[in-house]
Amino acid sequence: MTLAIVLAVGAPAAGLPTGPGEPRIDRLADQLRRAGADRVHTVAGLAELAALVDTATGPVLVTGADLVAHTAVLKHLVTSPVGPTVALVLTDPPAAGQTVVREERGQVVDAGPELPDATGVFGGALRVGRDDLPALAAAARAVGGPGVTPAARDVAGAGGSPAAVDRLFAALTDLGTLTFAHRVRLLVAHRVADPAGLAAAEAALAGVDEDRAELRLSVKERDDFFTTYFVSTWSPYVTKACARLGLTPTGVTMISVLFAVVAAVLFGAGGRVALVAGGVLLYLGFVLDCVDGQLARYTRHFSAWGGWLDTMADRAKEYLVYAGLGYGATHAGFRYGWALAIAAMTLQTVRHMTDAWYGVLHDEAARRPRPATPTAGGIGGKLNAASTRVQADTGSVSYWLKRTVVFPIGERWALIAVTAALFGPLVSLVSVLVWGVLAFGYTGALRTLRARWMWVPVLDTVDATLHRDDGPLAARLPVVRPMGPLTLAVLGALGPAVLLVVGLFRLAGDGDPGGLRWWLPVALLVLLVAGLGAGAAHNGPLDWLVPAALRASEYLFAAVVGVVGGVPAWLIFGYVFVLTVHHYDLTARLEKRQAAPPLHPWTLGWEGRSVLLAVAAIAGFASPVMATLGAYLLVVFVASVVLAWVVLPARATRAAAVPARGGSPG
């Protein structure tokens, strides 16, 4: 349940009549109810607000009585999925007594009456998540305690010094609460202090069609070149139609998956007509992939399940398309079609792992800005400043080049659709690999330099064992501290990489790679070197790369076992595909701030799975063991999904309902 609190102290606009003649504060309360608040209270002081917050069991929306905004603005604030605590941020020039804010990557990192590098002004409204309610109550008591008289608070609210809601927000920020910024686009929100300001704000509200603005707002403000000019120009019409048909974002996601699966089948079938049809379906599937997010934003139907499913479906669709291309290339006579598909899947997964962890690094750096030092203007600082300038130059050639060179999802799907339709699956896979390698080299080099400059550890802020995907064997290996976990992870990948190259050369020369199976123990021992860093502190400036390095190591070793053990290429692809699903689950939970999968210990860890495959290959049973292990991991994954999203939430709901039926004890 969402509690809304209107802080009326020191707000001269509260009693001003609106166009219909009702008091401004009454209209604001009605808007809050329509925005989704279950209860609305108007309070005259921060002590009363703190007492209400103490009784809240869900998120709390706090607004000043001087806010004039579309109801949609308040609804967006209530339903914002970016984080539990969100503040309204405006671009209006700050008036006397209003708090300004400084943002980094969408997070409010500082707030106060005067900031030299302010990026916006606090909009007088914020939603506070349940876990942050104690901090909100503490902030209210700190700024509205006995030492501050009611008269002083009224004077502060009337002008000159910060109003009550501004002081409350500044105090909440000072307590270190992670707050995300919610910007107003296309809609209207202003803070008013007199009848003239109220009249101007009301006129601005009347001049905007809320529904049309919300439909346009469903499109991401910043997207990639292909998506911006070849999808978002017409996808809002599809979004509107889906809303009228009553489709849910999850339903649209499932339809987009179906389109991608059919496209993959057509790519595998080959023939010009099938390839062209597959390219068209792939494009339409990508449009629907954009529409599901737009529909969620337009209807404000957000859920943790939907966000997780969208992330997982995106990767599964892409890799199923790789499977279709791999089969199609092999069917057309190219011997290594499946090998190219496995390479493309491995490359994209490792890239996505670095993307996810670099995002965590950047967010952490935003919360802990680098102090001014003589080295602050080094190459990392210059790259950071250059990136900021380019990102701010929206629509310029340099802006679009920067967004396109990293090979985002829209460009990948467009490249696959066009090259497959015109030239066939082989050219499509080679194109994806070439552009992907170049993009990985570009982003990897620049991010490494910037990360060394930021020097902010992130892997030690979470459960490193979970995100390394360590099993019981890694936990028992000795710890080698001087070399660092990243160095050990990279060394661990060398053994499988060398043996894979040798095996592929033998295969290309019509030799028998099976003779290399006695080298598997050596490759395995080198791989297990990565486990020697499991217990070490992951606080180096580049240790955010450890999960990606471990993913590369395991996938390479699985490929080595497949080549040496004579496993069919399609089975190797299927096994690595299941591994990527498991690893994307961990990454999606990191991005959505969710707990570990319920059955994670049953996945055996990267080292446990590798040992099983090595023993099977040496014994001559690589194919059946790889198939069995892949099926087992898929069953564990599905069971974890059911437990996490169906069984455990149902139990929690029933547990929460028991006290409500029985009443409070005593």
Side-chain angles (χ1 to χ4, degrees):
M1 294 182 63
T2 300
L3 167 66
I5 302 175
V6 181
L7 193 55
V9 58
L16 293 175
T18 62
E22 61 180 332
R24 171 68 214 140
I25 199 166
D26 291 343
R27 178 177 174 182
L28 181 58
D30 180 62
Q31 285 183 293
L32 290 169
R33 293 186 185 94
R34 285 187 282 131
D38 301 288
R39 293 184 296 148
V40 180
H41 291 269
T42 300
V43 300
L46 291 169
E48 188 178 352
L49 181 145
L52 276 173
V53 170
D54 287 337
T55 66
T57 58
V60 172
L61 182 67
V62 180
T63 69
D66 59 350
L67 177 63
V68 177
H70 280 116
T71 302
V73 172
L74 299 172
K75 185 177 181 180
H76 292 181
L77 188 63
V78 170
T79 58
S80 176
V82 298
T85 298
V86 187
L88 188 66
V89 176
L90 309 177
T91 56
D92 297 352
Q98 291 183 352
T99 294
V100 293
V101 302
R102 181 168 64 84
E103 305 161 62
E104 288 282 350
R105 287 177 58 84
Q107 302 174 51
V108 176
V109 296
D110 202 0
E114 294 182 5
L115 292 176
D117 51 353
T119 57
V121 59
F122 174 52
L126 70 155
R127 186 198 72 198
V128 182
R130 184 173 58 183
D131 292 342
D132 292 331
L133 293 183
L136 177 64
R141 292 187 172 96
V143 297
V148 183
T149 65
R153 289 196 295 270
D154 287 347
V155 171
S161 58
V165 69
D166 293 87
R167 288 184 287 122
L168 176 65
F169 176 62
L172 185 66
T173 304
D174 288 342
L175 290 175
T177 304
L178 175 58
T179 305
F180 292 86
H182 177 76
R183 288 277 186 171
V184 177
R185 293 191 300 124
L186 304 180
L187 296 166
V188 174
H190 296 293
R191 299 179 69 180
V192 302
D194 51 45
L198 177 61
E202 294 281 359
L205 258 68
V208 175
D209 184 326
E210 268 190 270
D211 183 70
R212 179 176 295 181
E214 285 197 90
L215 186 60
R216 290 177 59 193
L217 285 171
S218 68
V219 178
K220 288 182 180 178
E221 183 177 8
R222 292 188 176 189
D223 219 323
D224 305 315
F225 182 84
F226 179 79
T227 306
T228 299
Y229 291 105
F230 295 92
V231 175
S232 297
T233 50
W234 65 281
S235 60
Y237 300 106
V238 182
T239 300
K240 183 78 170 182
C242 290
R244 288 178 175 174
L245 291 172
L247 292 176
T248 65
T250 298
V252 175
T253 298
M254 292 297 97
I255 297 174
S256 73
V257 170
L258 178 62
F259 274 47
V261 169
V262 176
V265 171
L266 291 172
F267 290 151
R272 185 59 55 198
V273 174
L275 293 175
V276 171
V280 172
L281 283 177
L282 194 64
Y283 168 65
L284 295 177
F286 179 67
V287 172
L288 292 176
D289 185 44
C290 297
V291 167
D292 61 5
Q294 293 173 10
L295 183 62
R297 289 184 286 272
Y298 179 59
T299 60
R300 309 310 293 178
H301 288 163
F302 300 110
S303 68
W305 158 252
W308 177 89
L309 180 64
D310 184 55
T311 300
M312 299 298 294
D314 285 350
R315 302 288 72 79
K317 289 184 297 186
E318 183 173 359
Y319 295 166
L320 287 174
V321 168
Y322 290 168
L325 293 172
Y327 177 84
T330 304
H331 186 66
F334 182 68
R335 186 177 183 182
Y336 301 104
W338 280 109
L340 292 179
I342 294 169
M345 179 169 58
T346 298
L347 173 65
Q348 291 303 330
T349 302
V350 173
R351 280 194 63 206
H352 288 143
M353 298 297 142
T354 61
D355 291 345
W357 282 98
Y358 185 76
V360 177
L361 170 77
H362 219 310
D363 289 342
E364 189 69 21
R367 291 191 288 270
R368 296 189 284 176
R370 181 182 173 90
T373 65
T375 61
I379 187 170
K382 292 178 181 178
L383 287 172
N384 196 56
S387 177
T388 302
R389 286 196 303 271
V390 172
Q391 290 287 2
D393 193 12
T394 308
S396 66
V397 174
S398 58
Y399 172 84
W400 287 122
L401 282 175
K402 177 177 172 58
R403 295 193 70 92
T404 303
V405 72
V406 298
F407 203 23
I409 180 65
E411 275 65 14
R412 289 202 303 277
W413 285 59
L415 180 68
I416 292 171
V418 172
T419 54
L422 296 180
F423 308 108
L426 177 58
V427 173
S428 188
L429 281 173
V430 171
S431 301
V432 168
L433 279 168
V434 171
W435 194 344
V437 168
L438 293 175
F440 195 21
Y442 166 77
T443 57
L446 294 184
R447 287 173 176 178
T448 297
L449 291 172
R450 293 178 69 183
R452 288 186 63 84
W453 170 76
M454 286 186 279
W455 202 278
V456 177
V458 294
L459 201 55
D460 65 342
T461 64
V462 297
D463 184 355
T465 299
L466 170 66
H467 293 289
R468 284 174 54 97
D469 195 24
D470 289 331
L473 179 57
R476 290 168 172 79
L477 291 175
V479 178
V480 177
R481 300 183 188 279
M483 298 186 70
L486 178 60
T487 302
L488 293 169
V490 172
L491 289 175
L494 293 180
V498 170
L499 193 57
L500 178 61
V501 171
V502 174
L504 289 175
F505 269 113
R506 283 201 178 186
L507 197 62
D510 294 325
D512 180 17
L516 297 174
R517 71 177 184 273
W518 299 111
W519 286 95
L520 279 175
V522 177
L524 178 63
L525 288 175
V526 176
L527 174 67
L528 293 178
V529 166
L532 298 177
H538 291 63
N539 54 9
L542 300 181
D543 283 348
W544 54 278
L545 291 167
V546 168
L550 291 173
R551 302 300 83 82
S553 300
E554 183 178 8
Y555 302 164
L556 285 172
F557 192 78
V560 166
V561 169
V563 171
V564 173
V567 179
W570 61 266
L571 180 54
I572 303 174
F573 182 95
Y575 177 74
V576 176
F577 176 82
V578 173
L579 289 180
T580 64
V581 169
H582 164 60
H583 290 135
Y584 273 116
D585 185 24
L586 298 181
T587 305
R589 291 173 183 276
L590 171 74
E591 294 174 338
K592 307 302 179 185
R593 302 174 184 85
Q594 294 161 359
L599 301 180
H600 179 70
W602 291 80
T603 59
L604 308 177
W606 61 270
E607 79 287 1
R609 297 186 292 265
S610 299
V611 168
L612 283 177
L613 289 181
V615 172
I618 294 171
F621 300 104
S623 292
V625 171
M626 183 174 285
T628 302
L629 183 57
Y632 166 78
L633 292 173
L634 185 60
V635 170
V636 170
F637 169 76
V638 173
S640 272
V641 171
V642 173
L643 282 172
W645 298 108
V646 180
V647 177
L648 296 180
R651 288 179 181 175
T653 301
R654 287 196 299 268
V658 169
R661 289 195 300 266
S664 59

